[in-house]
Amino acid sequence: MFSSDSVKKFNNLPTPFYYYDIDIIKNNLKSLKYSLRSNNKVHFSVKSNTNKRILEIVKSYNLGIDAVSYNEIKHCLDQGFDSKDIVFAGVGKTDEEINKAIEKDIAYFNVESFQELDVINQLSKKQSKQTEVSIRVNPNIFSETNKKIQTGSKDDKFGVQLEDISKFSDYDKLSNINITGIHFHIGSQILNLSPFEKLCKITNETISYLEGNGVTIKNINVGGGLGIDYMDPENNLESNFKDFIHLFNSKIKLKNNQSIHFELGRSIVGQCGFLISKILYTKKSYNKNFIVLDSGMNNLIRPALYNSKHKISNISSRSNKIEAYDIVGPICESTDTFARDYEMVESKRGDLVVIYSCGAYAESMSSNYNLRDNIKSYYSDTI
Ligand code: LLP
């Protein structure tokens, strides 16, 4: 995927840096748009990537935004998104954040508890506004993914329990909110579609219960969570939107006034980003062969935090010999390890190393830990 020309270009830039392939994100967005029906709306989960260039592209495909803090809302408004295309989720919104979002007339709030519903009602009253809300329901669906990014099981902190949907009709009577939707999000990096199929069933049951009890539901927000291929990214650059979107469109029974909303992050941007680093040092120690990169877990925390695997390759070595390496960063703790016993071509100081699938939750989760510098981002169409 990376030619000698790319190596030449990358060698002229100060490492480490994020590299975004603009064709990859555009092709992926095209295939997403192609899978959508007129009664579908996609809000890009901006927590996965807040990079302005990426947002400009997302906006050009008419996606809305799923934000989880007022700062994310503000950032997207500054990038030209319309407040009517922004939804505000999150289990711990502060009064200040709620007030500012009401002021901006966002599309709706995804509300995570009845207490939050009361707060939004009171704050809307003070501003003499009517606020649209969707209630997040925890459907208690197990999804096969890393435990740390599951969100729809019984003991997870998100949403209200299914048993409490009978309370919706009382809360719908509050003067300054309108309950117009339901919201689910069962987890992230889910590759097997069967938990989503279960979600469709629960969605249908929930809607028919609510409508039978006088609550009119307009927006059916099924969240995000579609996974990407971290093992073989080069052959799977585009996400399987077709099957994912079709599943919901075919299983959820919609009325004319209803639409299905998706909140996708990783599946939109995951494969377009790469972390490009140089090898600072190589060393042998006891049973290990170490490669020390100039990027660390402050640039990509997923392996350290979730034990996630990313494809890694040395794109400048001319060797054919394969060795097993522990590929680590410079941060002063052992969890700063990108991969253990990873087979890669024989590598030396100064070689260029690419870590794949860094478009989602890499740059947006970066930090200055160890007081390391922020790193730059470069784009395939400008270098
Ligand atoms: N909607 C809600 C309510 C969410 O909490 C999330 C992600 C999404 C949508 C988007 O999910 P996606 O389509 O990207 O799977 N930092 C972790 C992932 C955390 C996901 C948090 N919520 C990682 O690097 O794997």
Side-chain angles (χ1 to χ4, degrees):
M1 173 167 196
F2 292 100
S3 61
S4 54
D5 203 39
S6 320
V7 173
K8 225 182 266 168
K9 278 185 192 162
F10 291 170
N11 263 326
N12 287 330
L13 301 169
T15 56
F17 58 89
Y18 300 108
Y19 171 72
Y20 291 103
D21 187 314
I22 301 302
D23 286 338
I24 296 179
I25 182 172
K26 285 188 174 170
N27 287 336
N28 204 28
L29 280 163
K30 269 181 218 154
S31 93
L32 170 64
K33 291 298 269 190
Y34 193 70
S35 309
L36 298 175
R37 286 213 203 135
S38 58
N39 54 6
N40 294 157
K41 168 99 190 161
V42 178
H43 294 102
F44 173 61
S45 226
V46 67
K47 66 174 87 65
S48 64
N49 194 312
T50 58
N51 179 299
K52 293 181 182 173
R53 182 74 208 284
I54 296 294
L55 287 179
E56 184 187 303
I57 296 168
V58 166
K59 188 173 165 288
S60 71
Y61 284 78
N62 291 320
L63 268 54
I65 289 291
D66 156 42
V68 286
S69 67
Y70 184 73
N71 286 345
E72 282 190 355
I73 296 176
K74 166 94 174 52
H75 182 70
C76 294
L77 290 173
D78 291 346
Q79 299 321 303
F81 283 89
D82 189 327
S83 62
K84 281 280 161 239
D85 287 327
I86 300 179
V87 302
F88 186 13
V91 75
K93 305 174 191 78
T94 65
D95 292 20
E96 192 188 345
E97 288 184 302
I98 293 171
N99 264 327
K100 286 182 182 165
I102 296 172
E103 261 167 42
K104 294 288 180 197
D105 293 319
I106 60 162
Y108 60 86
F109 286 72
N110 285 325
V111 176
E112 302 254 1
S113 67
F114 293 108
Q115 198 169 39
E116 184 189 334
L117 215 49
D118 271 324
V119 172
I120 295 177
N121 183 53
Q122 283 160 26
L123 297 175
S124 302
K125 203 176 214 162
K126 279 197 193 139
Q127 291 195 37
S128 310
K129 292 234 170 124
Q130 280 298 124
T131 302
E132 270 199 33
V133 299
S134 282
I135 300 185
R136 181 168 182 176
V137 177
N138 178 337
N140 190 20
I141 293 176
F142 172 81
S143 52
E144 234 170 86
T145 184
N146 189 310
K147 178 87 188 91
K148 295 185 180 173
I149 53 175
Q150 278 171 11
T151 51
S153 296
K154 209 156 87 207
D155 292 336
D156 296 328
K157 66 180 174 180
F158 301 97
V160 302
Q161 56 183 9
L162 259 179
E163 289 76 3
D164 279 347
I165 56 169
S166 57
K167 298 185 184 163
F168 280 30
S169 36
D170 286 341
Y171 278 91
D172 204 22
K173 296 186 187 108
L174 290 175
S175 57
N176 291 67
I177 53 165
N178 299 326
I179 302 177
T180 53
I182 47 166
H183 175 224
F184 302 95
H185 173 72
I186 60 173
S188 195
Q189 184 51 22
I190 302 170
L191 285 163
N192 172 351
L193 296 185
S194 62
F196 293 118
E197 201 168 333
K198 280 190 197 141
L199 178 60
C200 292
K201 188 169 173 279
I202 292 184
T203 303
N204 286 332
E205 289 164 3
T206 308
I207 296 170
S208 70
Y209 176 87
L210 289 174
E211 305 216 306
N213 285 276
V215 184
T216 312
I217 295 297
K218 187 173 77 171
N219 308 320
I220 298 151
N221 185 332
V222 294
L226 177 64
I228 60 168
D229 191 341
Y230 281 96
M231 293 299 101
D232 187 15
E234 286 163 300
N235 290 309
N236 293 295
L237 292 172
E238 281 179 25
S239 295
N240 186 6
F241 293 122
K242 189 166 164 268
D243 291 351
F244 178 78
I245 305 278
H246 175 73
L247 176 73
F248 290 100
N249 280 334
S250 61
K251 301 271 174 188
I252 294 181
K253 295 175 199 139
L254 280 193
K255 301 220 173 67
N256 279 342
N257 61 332
Q258 293 178 324
S259 51
I260 304 182
H261 293 191
F262 300 92
E263 295 171 342
L264 297 164
R266 188 189 321 261
S267 52
I268 292 175
V269 289
Q271 301 294 30
C272 74
F274 303 82
L275 176 60
I276 316 289
S277 320
K278 267 195 182 137
I279 298 180
L280 287 176
Y281 303 104
T282 58
K283 67 175 175 185
K284 281 198 163 53
S285 168
Y286 298 102
N287 302 319
K288 291 286 188 186
N289 226 350
F290 286 104
I291 284 177
V292 184
L293 297 179
D294 57 4
S295 65
M297 67 183 209
N298 60 312
N299 308 121
L300 171 67
I301 202 171
R302 305 191 67 259
L305 195 58
Y306 314 116
N307 204 15
S308 329
K309 313 280 180 244
H310 284 247
K311 179 180 164 128
I312 305 178
S313 75
N314 180 327
I315 57 167
S316 60
S317 168
R318 299 248 164 90
S319 172
N320 292 321
K321 203 171 147 203
I322 303 290
E323 301 237 26
Y325 293 103
D326 273 26
I327 303 171
V328 304
I331 303 273
C332 297
E333 47 187 290
S334 296
T335 196
D336 183 27
T337 297
F338 292 118
R340 294 181 205 277
D341 299 316
Y342 193 83
E343 292 197 343
M344 203 162 71
V345 290
E346 190 180 29
S347 299
K348 58 178 192 319
R349 173 173 163 84
D351 282 353
L352 272 172
V353 168
V354 173
I355 306 184
Y356 290 71
S357 315
C358 286
Y361 306 112
E363 188 175 359
S364 66
M365 292 179 81
S366 65
S367 78
N368 299 107
Y369 186 41
N370 282 199
L371 278 189
R372 303 190 68 82
D373 290 330
N374 289 328
I375 65 173
K376 285 198 172 165
S377 297
Y378 295 96
Y379 309 93
S380 57
D381 58 349
T382 53
I383 60 164

